């Protein structure tokens, strides 16, 4: 009984310390995931607490369950328009990019450090996958908003490249253990089945959950639990038939997240906490598993492989994978730099350990050091590099609080939103009637100095007020554009980014040239609309934030329709 209580106390203290340390690391700009790893190491057998933990089976179980929750959460937060601009580039990175990374890392391990080819290829396979937890976690913790084309490519790649890495790792682990390599066509067939099986089961799982959510008379409190239980079941079922369980749960989350269920807000709120808990637990347990003194013996090889991966293998894999898609060079540089390695390579490094291959600790120790270096060098510098390359865009306007009206029967999800008004908000110093919102929304009143000012009094909106609005979830972007834009704390303001003036996308360059100095343009271009000109320059993958300099002005895409058509352009003098 005392041992059980001690274990519970230890787990609780580790969680408390991790959460408090995450707050401190955010202020210092350090990657949160790195903090969790370090706390796990400090609690380990050579750390402050001296906790002895040497069970890779438990670590693998906890790590796999945590990744399921993280990928499910990432899928639910992925919007359909992201696939419009980044599906095929991400697939290219998740397949060709993974294979190239594996080959380049293995080659460096052979020629620079003298590792035998089977062991080098296994090491390359373990390190070939970017990590969804690292990518999602750092973007969220930094509050970083970058161009959709880049963010979509990175998120879809990190959510879909696990099958390739898992297949390569399992194949090479079996080859190293038995000394017999399978034929290449069997590997190809295995990859195809992993992808097809994962996509099929994930889609079916998502559709079945949507049907159940609309039919079952459950309390809203049960739906987050039902969602995560279904995600874990889908992962296990998919893995049972030797398909990609991680891909299945990612797609299942995507299907559910875009179904416009009234329960979705509750699910996302609970899922957000579960995803963070999963990341903390996963990195803590992996930190506990490592023995720091063992890392020293393999440190030279690990450091060499890490720098090869970051500065040679990843950039070359990105350039080759994105060659058919004409990505701007700045975006290729950023995608190369955000090839973050996180928990996935460490978990994959447990495969050789569990299989009993020779020098099994070598793979785990090297993977751990590579992940540490990746989080320190790449994770710490993501935000500065994004700003240096000009890829950060203004944060999307949104309410400070969302309160679902879950008990109200409605075909569309109804919510009450709270907007904190500051002096830069367009609503400041206006009454509700003067705002003239284009989306249907009902004014619920103002919260001023703790008192509720009812709408019947027609109060003037002032700085510091909390403005309450009731509307459907579908109109949140349009309402937020008026009530939340230009708020305090924005690292990139809309005015500085887009400029003071806005033009329609269907205007011709000749129309624009009559107001602004666009330089010497060919006569054939003058009849081209701004939207068509951008589509030609960016090969029809235009996203908000894309810009072109013409003469003495910079034209920046400001608004895009659901179909991908450019609706408005910001104009800013050079």
């Amino acid at each position: 009984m005392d041992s059980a209580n001690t274990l519970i106390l230890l787990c609780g203290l580790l969680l408390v310390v991790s959460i408090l340390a995450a707050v401190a690391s955010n202020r210092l700009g350090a990657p949160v995931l790195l903090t969790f790893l370090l706390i796990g190491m400090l609690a380990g057998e050579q750390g402050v607490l001296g906790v002895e933990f040497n069970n890779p089976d438990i670590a693998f179980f906890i790590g796999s369950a945590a990744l399921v929750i993280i990928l499910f959460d990432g899928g639910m937060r992925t919007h359909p328009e992201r696939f419009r601009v980044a599906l095929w580039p991400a697939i290219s990175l998740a397949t060709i990019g993974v294979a190239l990374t594996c080959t380049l890392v293995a080659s460096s391990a052979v020629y620079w450090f003298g590792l035998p080819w089977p062991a080098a290829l296994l090491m390359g396979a373990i390190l070939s996958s970017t990590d969804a937890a690292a990518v999602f976690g750092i973007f969220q913790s930094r509050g970083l908003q970058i161009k959709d084309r880049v963010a979509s490519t990175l998120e879809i790649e990190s959510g879909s490249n696990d099958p390739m890495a898992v297949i390569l790792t399992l194949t090479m682990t079996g080859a190293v253990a038995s000394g017999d390599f399978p034929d290449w066509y069997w590997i190809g067939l295995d990859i195809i089945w992993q992808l097809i099986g994962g996509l099929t089961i994930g889609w079916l799982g998502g559709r079945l959950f949507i049907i159940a959510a609309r039919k079952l008379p459950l309390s809203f409190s049960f739906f987050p639990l039902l969602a995560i239980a279904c995600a874990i079941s889908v992962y296990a079922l998919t893995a049972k038939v030797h398909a990609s369980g991680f891909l299945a749960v990612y797609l299942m989350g995507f299907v559910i997240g875009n179904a416009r269920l009234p329960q979705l807000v509750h699910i996302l709120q609970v899922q957000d906490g579960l995803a963070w808990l999963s990341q903390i637990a996963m990195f803590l347990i992996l930190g506990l598993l490592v023995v720091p003194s063992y890392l020293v013996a393999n440190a030279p090889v690990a450091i060499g492989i890490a720098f090869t991966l970051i500065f040679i293998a990843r950039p070359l894999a990105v350039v080759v994978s994105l060659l058919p898609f004409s990505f701007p060079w700045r975006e290729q540089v950023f995608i190369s730099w955000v090839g973050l390695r996180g928990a996935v390579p460490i978990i994959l490094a447990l495969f050789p350990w569990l299989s009993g291959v020779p020098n099994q600790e070598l793979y785990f120790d090297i993977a751990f050091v590579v992940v540490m270096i990746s989080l320190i060098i790449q994770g710490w510098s993501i935000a500065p590099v994004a700003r240096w390359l000009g890829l950060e865009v203004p944060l999307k306007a949104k309410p400070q609080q969302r309160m679902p009206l879950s008990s109200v029967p409605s075909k569309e999800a109804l919510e009450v939103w709270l907007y904190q008004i500051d002096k830069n908000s367009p609503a400041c110093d206006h009454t509700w009637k003067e705002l003239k919102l284009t989306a249907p929304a009902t004014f619920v009143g103002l919260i001023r100095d703790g008192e509720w000012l009812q709408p019947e009094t027609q109060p003037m909106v002032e700085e510091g007020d909390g403005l309450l609005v009731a509307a459907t979830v579908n109109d949140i972007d349009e309402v937020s554009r008026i009530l939340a834009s230009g708020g305090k704390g924005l690292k990139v303001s809309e005015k500085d980014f887009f400029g003071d003036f806005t033009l329609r996308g269907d205007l011709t360059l000749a129309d624009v040239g009559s107001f602004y100095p666009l330089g010497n343009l060919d006569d054939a271009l003058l009849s081209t609309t701004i939207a068509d000109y951008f589509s030609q320059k960016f090969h029809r993958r235009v996203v908000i934030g894309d810009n072109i300099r013409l003469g003495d002005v910079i034209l920046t895409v400001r608004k895009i329709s659901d179909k991908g058509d450019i609706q408005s352009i910001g104009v800013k003098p050079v």
Side-chain angles (χ1 to χ4, degrees), residues 135 139 152 350 392 423 444 490:
V135 174
F139 277 13
S152 302
L350 293 174
E392 190 178 20
K423 62 182 180 180
V444 181
L490 295 181

Side-chain angles (χ1 to χ4, degrees), residues 29-283:
V32 176
L33 306 184
L34 177 63
T35 305
F36 300 153
L37 271 180
L38 292 175
I39 291 174
M41 291 176 64
L42 288 173
E45 61 181 275
Q46 292 184 346
V48 177
L49 298 181
V51 177
E52 293 187 11
F53 179 75
N54 189 30
N55 195 321
D57 296 274
I58 293 178
F60 182 77
F61 172 79
I62 294 175
S64 298
L67 277 177
V68 169
I69 296 172
I70 293 164
L71 284 168
F72 184 60
D73 180 71
M76 284 198 294
R77 299 177 193 277
T78 301
H79 298 290
E81 58 266 23
R82 300 217 158 189
F83 285 91
R84 176 185 64 83
V85 298
L87 177 60
W88 293 112
I91 288 177
S92 180
L93 284 168
T95 52
I96 298 172
V98 167
L100 280 174
T101 302
C102 174
T103 304
L104 292 169
V105 170
S107 300
S108 69
V110 170
Y111 291 109
W112 291 351
F113 304 106
L115 266 67
W117 269 107
L121 285 170
L122 175 54
M123 181 58 64
I126 290 171
L127 297 172
S128 61
S129 171
T130 58
D131 191 296
V135 174
F136 296 151
I138 289 180
F139 277 13
Q140 290 176 16
S141 63
R142 289 288 186 278
L144 188 63
Q145 184 82 15
I146 59 176
K147 287 185 179 180
D148 276 348
R149 181 171 49 248
V150 181
S152 302
T153 300
L154 288 168
E155 290 187 12
I156 297 172
E157 178 206 7
S158 65
S160 61
N161 62 7
D162 293 331
M164 188 76 169
V166 170
I167 293 167
L168 291 175
T169 301
L170 288 174
T171 301
M172 295 312 306
T173 299
V176 172
S178 65
D180 185 24
F181 283 84
D183 294 324
W184 65 269
Y185 53 83
W186 284 115
I187 298 176
L189 289 174
D190 193 13
I191 292 173
I192 292 172
W193 167 242
Q194 287 258 8
L195 296 174
I196 294 176
L199 290 172
T200 303
I201 297 175
W203 184 85
L204 288 174
R207 295 306 305 170
L208 288 174
F209 178 85
I210 292 169
I211 294 171
R214 289 171 175 165
K215 300 292 184 182
L216 292 176
L218 288 175
S219 167
F220 273 68
S221 302
F222 283 101
F223 281 101
L225 302 177
L226 180 63
I228 199 62
C230 290
I232 293 173
S233 301
V234 164
Y235 166 78
L237 175 63
T238 310
K240 273 288 186 181
V241 297
H242 305 290
S244 174
F246 293 131
L247 181 60
V249 295
Y250 180 75
L251 181 62
M252 179 183 176
F254 172 77
V255 172
I256 295 172
N258 292 279
R260 296 181 178 177
L261 292 171
Q263 304 95 332
L264 185 60
V265 174
H266 291 272
I267 295 173
L268 287 173
Q269 287 174 343
V270 175
Q271 187 65 32
D272 188 48
L274 287 175
W276 276 111
L277 178 62
S278 299
Q279 292 190 51
I280 294 173
M282 178 171 55
F283 279 87

Side-chain angles (χ1 to χ4, degrees), residues 256-498:
I256 295 172
N258 292 279
R260 296 181 178 177
L261 292 171
Q263 304 95 332
L264 185 60
V265 174
H266 291 272
I267 295 173
L268 287 173
Q269 287 174 343
V270 175
Q271 187 65 32
D272 188 48
L274 287 175
W276 276 111
L277 178 62
S278 299
Q279 292 190 51
I280 294 173
M282 178 171 55
F283 279 87
L284 282 178
I285 203 73
L286 293 175
L288 281 171
L289 190 62
V290 74
V291 180
S293 61
Y294 294 171
L295 303 179
V296 177
N298 298 314
V301 178
I303 293 171
I305 289 177
F307 278 82
T308 301
L309 178 65
I310 294 171
F311 296 104
I312 299 175
R314 173 66 178 182
L316 286 175
V318 168
V319 169
V320 173
S321 300
L322 297 182
L323 197 60
F325 305 104
S326 303
F327 268 58
W329 70 267
R330 292 177 182 272
E331 298 179 9
Q332 293 191 49
V333 169
F334 188 75
I335 292 171
S336 299
W337 191 246
V338 191
L340 283 165
R341 267 59 190 176
V344 171
I346 302 177
I347 292 172
L348 292 180
L350 293 174
F351 285 173
W353 196 340
L354 296 171
S355 303
V357 303
N359 299 319
Q360 55 194 20
E361 296 89 354
L362 171 73
Y363 304 101
F364 183 83
D365 293 342
I366 290 179
F368 194 92
V369 173
V370 170
V371 168
M372 293 280 287
I373 293 173
S374 176
L375 289 174
I376 291 171
I377 295 178
Q378 295 171 294
W380 217 309
S381 60
I382 281 180
V385 170
R387 295 186 188 113
W388 173 63
L389 293 171
L391 299 179
E392 190 178 20
V393 298
L395 287 171
K396 195 172 184 180
K398 60 181 180 181
Q400 273 68 35
Q401 291 186 36
R402 298 176 61 178
M403 293 153 278
L405 301 177
S406 54
S407 60
V408 178
S410 174
K411 293 182 179 179
E412 296 182 275
L414 295 173
E415 293 184 352
V416 173
W417 303 322
L418 172 66
Y419 294 94
Q420 201 65 40
I421 304 299
D422 60 46
K423 62 182 180 180
N424 297 316
S425 174
C428 191
D429 299 327
H430 293 279
T431 63
W432 175 256
K433 291 184 178 180
E434 293 174 342
L435 295 179
K436 298 180 180 179
L437 271 70
T438 56
T442 299
F443 179 48
V444 181
L446 298 176
I447 303 298
R448 181 179 298 165
D449 299 326
E451 295 185 4
W452 176 34
L453 305 183
Q454 299 184 30
E456 290 80 5
T457 62
Q458 299 184 14
M460 180 76 70
V461 180
E462 298 178 1
E463 181 181 0
D465 288 347
L467 192 151
L468 294 169
V469 175
T472 64
V473 174
N474 296 338
D475 297 316
I476 189 169
D477 291 338
E478 186 62 28
V479 174
S480 298
R481 184 180 63 84
I482 300 297
L483 301 181
S485 60
K488 294 179 180 179
L490 295 181
K491 297 175 182 177
V492 182
S493 70
E494 291 194 357
K495 181 178 179 180
D496 293 338
F497 189 82
F498 295 110

